[in-house]
Amino acid sequence: MSKTFRVVFSGMIAALCIVLLLCTGFFPFATVALPAVAGVLMVPIVVELGVKWACLVYAATAAVSFFITPEPSAMLLYIFFFGYYPVVKALIERLHKSMLEWAMKFLLVNAAMVVLFLLASWLFGLEKVLPEVQNFGKFVYLGIWIGANAAFLIYDLALTRLIGSYVRWFKPKYVDKLRRSGR
């Protein structure tokens, strides 16, 4: 595979990630969905170019998104979870030990949730934004934690299916043809 293809392909994916993150300014209701989709775009980089290139693309898009994403919470979600998760997922799933893989994935997502919660509390004054949380006590946090873990499970399973579809259908139909035409 030529270096030109690698640079162009990763540049196109990086640009699409940035565009999706910019769209959070136009569609604030998609604060979680758009960073998640931008993260899914890292899958072709991992499959086609490998983990090293995916890390470079993630680093570039995270740095750019830090400065230009209009919705700070979307930027934080991308930087602290969705942007790198497909890369880490590929590394974790090389273990081929299902229980260990799931334990590592849930450990990662819960660590990311703690970091995001602390950052949101510090940056956005979360206690001031959600005063009604005090009325329900810690049950609200427990409900959010359970819901976030359930959403992560669904996200991971959906991402696995998307990766399979990419490898079996999209890659042979489009990417391999693009690569052959570039020779």
Side-chain angles (χ1 to χ4, degrees), residues 11 17-18 40 48 59 79 97 99 117 166 180:
C17 289
I18 296 301
V40 169
E48 300 298 329
I79 290 173
K97 295 181 180 174
M99 294 299 287
F117 178 77
Y166 175 80
R180 283 190 298 268

Side-chain angles (χ1 to χ4, degrees), residues 9-10 13 41-51 53-55 57:
F9 190 72
S10 59
I13 297 294
L41 289 176
M42 297 299 290
V43 168
I45 300 293
V46 173
V47 172
E48 300 298 329
L49 307 178
V51 171
W53 276 83
C55 288
V57 172

